[in-house]
Amino acid sequence: MNIQIPNSLSAINKATSVPQYTDMVAHAAQGPHIISRAEGIRLYDDEGRSFIDGMAGLWCTSLGHSEQRLKDAAMKQFDELTYTHIFAHRTHAPATLLAEKLTKRAPESITRAFFVNSGSEANDAAIQIIWYYNNALGRREKKKIVGRDRGYHGVTVASGSLTALPYKQDDFDLPVNDKFLRVTCPHFYRYGRPGETEEDFAARLAEEFESLVIDEGPDTIAAFIGEPVMGAGGVLIPPRGYWPAIEKICRKYDILLVCDEVINGFCRTGEFWGSETVGGVQPDIMTVAKQLSSAYLPIGATLVSEAVYDVIAENSPKHGVFGIGMTYGGHPVCAAVALETLKIYEERDTLGHVQSVAPLFAERYAALAAHPLVGDARSTGLIGAIEIVADKETREPFPASAKAAPTVYRHTMENGTFGRPLPGDIVAFCPPLIVTESDINEMFDALAKGLDLAEAELAAHRCAV
Ligand SMILES: Cc1ncc(COP(=O)(O)O)c(C=O)c1O
């Protein structure tokens, strides 16, 4: 059967006069932009236009779109074993080898891996492990999990309860119960107070967390969860000292420290793990997905310390089964692709490559700070963002009706590079980790042009602020 999806959908879009190339964001409701093929770090739409995949898809296509070794790894695994589960004392080589490799490369505290199919499921499993762990220890009240405003941890009922962004909470009746608490987002540019240094800010947020623990009762607080560098909330890089201070409070009150490395993990922030970039904290639980397989196939993992594992294992005879396994968790083909991805990172020294091109990435961001629309420009490793403001002095944002970030995004895309508009009038870049200096220059040239074109369009809205 010959199904011509791209062309036929394109015809539908034209018939309804959408999507206009220049109006894709404003008219998103009217029809999708159809991407037909990809090569290396570039995407091609159904009309043949090419774009740098400046967001690595959704923060995930680390090795670009043409990695033959990953395709071969999948095919080889299909030939050997398409499926068996990893329940009840059964396993297979790809899952075993992947667990071994992942835990060996993880922070010292981490020793065990549980496989799932996505980042949301990894955090869902983390929440269930936290509750199960405390029940096993007879601490039935110690169940509350503290996240941060603007944190993103997924979209399932449980992980979505941690995602502190209005679009995931307000109309979904989330958080699902009163076990989900929040503290201030560690974004100095927006939440630092006049006269406060970054160090003061970090200390104030640590105090805020400790006060919350004391007020709620340490016997009720089970865990603290955060992305070392926050992604979907706006690429928010915490102030120096913040994470070590949070870790100290967790240790003091016997609170599990959970690092969501779904975006950060695998070299993204300039170290192998985000937890290293933010001060070398030792999580009790760590969640990973996305770049674990360079997005060639869906796979994620919840990684835990030996201490957490021991409690779970000791409680197992009570039920005979650890009831969070899913049919496709650790699927052999996905695991084989993830294993090959980790081998590629190691053999090609992907971390060394990221560290060699990150200075140019940072320099190009820093240069944008002078632009009249840019209030803040920030990056670490190969993830960064600009924050659009109407007034650089007062940091006043544009009115929502101006659609400031989507306007910059649209013009940047028209100049050949995909970024991503995020809540808070932020435009992010998070390119595949294989980008060269020349690719980086091309991306930032497009963004600089996008900003200039947006400035002309947004000027009228500035008067209205
Ligand atoms: C930090 C973080 N955690 C969890 C998730 C959820 O992952 P998924 O979309 O694979 O469910 C995301 C997705 O963007 C994320 O950025």
Side-chain angles (χ1 to χ4, degrees), residues 118-120 123 152-154 227 260 262-263 290:
S118 68
S120 298
N123 285 319
Y152 188 97
H153 299 288
E227 305 151 78
D260 179 340
V262 169
I263 287 178
K290 296 190 187 273

Side-chain angles (χ1 to χ4, degrees), residues 210-260:
E210 185 161 17
S211 299
L212 178 78
V213 172
I214 292 165
D215 289 350
E216 296 282 327
D219 292 348
T220 71
I221 307 290
F224 178 94
I225 184 167
E227 305 151 78
V229 171
M230 298 170 81
V235 185
L236 312 174
I237 303 166
R240 253 182 319 282
Y242 169 81
W243 270 97
I246 294 290
E247 181 179 34
K248 216 164 138 191
I249 295 162
C250 287
R251 300 297 163 234
K252 184 169 168 187
Y253 296 100
D254 194 9
I255 292 167
L256 295 172
L257 182 65
V258 187
C259 286
D260 179 340

Side-chain angles (χ1 to χ4, degrees), residues 58-59 117-123 151-156 159 163 226-227 229-233 260-264 287 289-290 299 420:
L58 284 175
W59 332 78
N117 307 292
S118 68
S120 298
E121 287 178 6
N123 285 319
Y152 188 97
H153 299 288
V155 295
T156 59
S159 67
T163 293
E227 305 151 78
V229 171
M230 298 170 81
D260 179 340
E261 297 260 4
V262 169
I263 287 178
N264 286 208
T287 51
K290 296 190 187 273
I299 183 165
R420 181 145 185 238

Side-chain angles (χ1 to χ4, degrees), residues 2-85:
N2 181 15
I3 307 174
Q4 295 184 335
I5 291 173
N7 287 341
S8 57
L9 282 181
S10 175
I12 292 166
N13 291 332
K14 277 187 189 122
T16 53
S17 76
V18 288
Q20 293 303 313
Y21 188 52
T22 53
D23 261 330
M24 235 163 261
V25 173
H27 300 291
Q30 296 172 302
H33 185 188
I34 299 169
I35 302 300
S36 308
R37 70 184 183 89
E39 212 177 296
I41 64 154
R42 282 168 211 272
L43 298 168
Y44 297 84
D45 71 11
D46 61 337
E47 294 181 21
R49 291 168 296 206
S50 122
F51 307 86
I52 291 187
D53 186 9
M55 275 302 293
L58 284 175
W59 332 78
C60 52
T61 59
S62 46
L63 296 174
H65 298 272
S66 309
E67 185 47 68
Q68 193 57 42
R69 276 179 64 176
L70 297 184
K71 299 178 202 173
D72 291 345
M75 291 315 291
K76 184 164 175 282
Q77 189 55 46
F78 274 125
D79 286 342
E80 276 173 19
L81 171 71
T82 57
Y83 180 76
T84 189
H85 63 77

Side-chain angles (χ1 to χ4, degrees), residues 424-447:
D425 268 340
I426 288 161
V427 182
F429 272 158
C430 176
L433 301 179
I434 56 170
V435 280
T436 62
E437 291 198 334
S438 143
D439 299 328
I440 290 172
N441 280 325
E442 196 179 325
M443 286 170 54
F444 279 91
D445 290 349
L447 179 56

Side-chain angles (χ1 to χ4, degrees), residues 83-97:
Y83 180 76
T84 189
H85 63 77
I86 52 174
F87 277 42
H89 295 285
R90 183 182 293 179
T91 191
H92 50 70
T96 310
L97 295 172

Side-chain angles (χ1 to χ4, degrees), residues 281-416:
V281 292
Q282 293 288 326
D284 301 292
I285 301 177
M286 206 166 104
T287 51
V288 295
K290 296 190 187 273
Q291 298 192 148
L292 170 58
S293 64
S294 186
Y296 277 61
L297 283 173
I299 183 165
T302 307
L303 309 174
V304 304
S305 70
E306 199 65 10
V308 170
Y309 171 80
D310 281 346
V311 171
I312 294 170
E314 267 172 43
N315 202 51
S316 283
K318 184 170 161 193
H319 301 288
V321 66
F322 185 45
I324 59 172
M326 284 165 283
T327 303
Y328 300 123
H331 189 288
V333 183
C334 304
V337 168
L339 186 61
E340 192 67 11
T341 305
L342 297 189
K343 285 183 187 164
I344 292 173
Y345 292 151
E346 208 171 84
E347 287 166 26
R348 297 198 190 142
D349 187 19
T350 298
L351 180 59
H353 173 71
V354 169
Q355 290 174 345
S356 76
V357 298
L360 174 67
F361 193 74
E363 194 184 300
R364 294 292 313 250
Y365 262 118
L368 291 177
H371 194 279
L373 285 180
V374 177
D376 190 41
R378 49 186 180 260
S379 73
T380 178
L382 283 178
I383 184 168
I386 49 173
E387 194 152 335
I388 311 293
V389 289
D391 184 325
K392 285 166 84 89
E393 197 67 34
T394 63
R395 304 183 180 184
E396 182 84 22
F398 280 96
S401 58
K403 297 188 186 318
T407 304
V408 173
Y409 161 80
R410 172 165 49 85
H411 286 297
T412 305
M413 180 184 64
E414 282 159 10
N415 279 284

